[in-house]
Amino acid sequence: MISRISRTLLLIQFGIAILFYLLLRHFEWPIVAAAVGGLLIVLLLRAQITANSFFLTWPYRGRTSNPVEISWLQVGTLFLREFRATMLCSSWAMPFLRFDQFSYPDTTSLPVLLIHGYGCNSGYWRWMSLELRQAHITHYALDMEPVFGSIDEYAPLVHAAVQRVLAETGQKKIVIVAHSMGGLAARAYLRDHGCDRVARVITLGSPHHGTAIANFGIGINCGEMNWLGRYEEGRSSEWLQKLAATEEADALSHIVSIYSHHDNIISPQSSAHLDGAWNIPVIGIGHVALALEPSIQEMVIDLIHNARE
């Protein structure tokens, strides 16, 4: 479904570019200039969407126990990398590059299950998958639907995917790598099925305590992962509170939470810090860019290699 939605949005953007091209031609712009102008207007609109996510979460910056400020040059770089990641994922990978699995009989690591976040599909993992392939790590990708359903509905999907990976690889355990909401789906799976089949869960930018920007989204899942109130004085959603109340310490000890102090979707950014887990904060990386950043990819691969049955 997300592939169809993404392709439809691309067609709409293409239509907007054509409309502006015709408008500019009406004002006697040269053909090439009008075509470039139409495309630039669409790019500016897309850039505004990315910028808006930063504006919505910017008030929460630094409101952590260890505030980390970055220079304006780093802020500019942060925005450009996030905009690039958003364009690549939403305009190329998610509409056209979904995948199911890549297997390597000569692998020396446990197999990996990749779980995407809200409004995404397996195409999001395109660039992480390229690095996993380079490292000869067998990996599978899960598409979670319904897109706007409850996170509880995703736990059985994760369970079925875990069972499939184990059956097809002959391994006793796997590693889960999950982005954003996918980390909550992985936690829901651990709540329902335990840790017997999972050596490690690596979450990237997951709103473990919720995110205020979810209040602007649609779907049951948005309501389940929202943050109620302002800044650190707020609280997690009722669903997240119940999840935390039913988790065992052993499950939390299997989780590695990698998150950015400057995430433009998770607000407050400290929401991604999960007590009882191994927390690894980074700086100057946006939300979508997390799985596309070489330093994060290298970190994830090292964690996969070091995971043991």
Side-chain angles (χ1 to χ4, degrees):
M1 181 176 177
I2 286 295
S3 294
R4 293 194 299 272
I5 293 173
S6 298
R7 289 193 290 266
T8 300
L9 291 175
L10 279 178
L11 285 174
I12 292 172
Q13 293 169 59
F14 183 65
I16 292 173
I18 290 176
L19 287 175
F20 276 105
Y21 164 79
L22 294 173
L23 179 63
L24 294 173
R25 286 292 291 153
H26 176 75
F27 288 103
E28 299 182 350
W29 281 44
I31 292 176
V32 174
V36 172
L39 289 174
L40 284 177
I41 289 171
V42 171
L43 287 175
L44 286 173
L45 291 173
R46 291 294 306 273
Q48 176 58 39
I49 294 173
T50 300
N52 191 51
S53 68
F54 282 97
F55 291 139
L56 289 172
T57 55
W58 194 254
Y60 295 92
R61 77 192 191 287
R63 295 179 185 274
T64 65
S65 56
N66 297 295
V68 179
E69 296 291 343
I70 57 178
S71 69
W72 284 109
L73 177 60
Q74 290 174 305
V75 170
T77 302
L78 163 65
F79 172 78
L80 289 175
R81 287 181 175 176
E82 180 68 2
F83 177 56
R84 170 182 172 271
T86 301
M87 290 297 295
L88 286 171
C89 289
S90 64
S91 301
W92 177 239
M94 291 195 297
F96 306 113
L97 299 178
R98 290 173 59 198
F99 67 94
D100 182 57
Q101 69 175 101
F102 290 94
S103 298
Y104 296 93
D106 63 339
T107 186
T108 58
S109 300
L110 294 177
V112 173
L113 175 63
L114 302 170
I115 307 177
H116 63 77
Y118 175 80
C120 296
N121 62 19
S122 57
Y124 170 75
W125 295 107
R126 162 72 175 179
W127 289 271
M128 180 69 77
S129 175
L130 290 174
E131 296 304 312
L132 294 173
R133 283 180 250 173
Q134 184 68 27
H136 276 218
I137 296 175
T138 294
H139 56 285
Y140 292 66
L142 171 65
D143 283 331
M144 294 193 296
E145 292 188 358
V147 176
F148 305 118
S150 169
I151 299 173
D152 285 323
E153 296 180 50
Y154 302 144
L157 300 180
V158 175
H159 178 62
V162 170
Q163 295 292 85
R164 176 195 172 196
V165 174
L166 294 176
E168 293 185 4
T169 62
Q171 295 288 343
K172 296 180 180 179
K173 290 191 177 184
I174 72 165
V175 174
I176 292 176
V177 180
H179 178 247
S180 195
M181 183 190 70
L184 303 182
R187 287 173 61 193
Y189 162 79
L190 294 180
R191 174 201 64 196
D192 294 344
H193 300 281
C195 308
D196 292 345
R197 305 170 186 85
V198 178
R200 176 168 286 169
V201 174
I202 304 168
T203 67
L204 306 178
S206 289
H208 290 301
H209 302 286
T211 173
I213 209 169
N215 291 287
F216 299 94
I218 59 174
I220 299 172
N221 41 17
C222 272
E224 291 173 342
M225 60 180 172
N226 61 8
W227 174 265
L228 308 171
R230 291 177 59 81
Y231 311 130
E232 298 296 313
E233 293 76 31
R235 67 184 189 280
S236 302
S237 69
E238 182 179 347
W239 186 88
L240 283 168
Q241 292 180 47
K242 288 182 178 178
L243 175 65
T246 54
E247 285 179 304
E248 296 183 358
D250 184 49
L252 293 171
S253 69
H254 281 68
I255 298 174
V256 180
S257 178
I258 301 173
Y259 66 94
S260 174
H261 281 295
H262 306 101
D263 195 302
N264 54 305
I265 296 296
I266 308 305
S267 56
Q269 288 85 359
S270 58
S271 170
H273 186 282
L274 183 61
D275 289 342
W278 177 9
N279 293 281
I280 306 177
V282 298
I283 64 171
I285 303 176
H287 186 73
V288 177
L290 278 167
L292 285 72
E293 192 70 24
S295 61
I296 302 298
Q297 293 168 346
E298 182 180 354
M299 189 185 305
V300 168
I301 288 174
D302 285 343
L303 288 167
I304 293 169
H305 282 318
N306 292 329
R308 294 288 182 266
E309 293 188 15

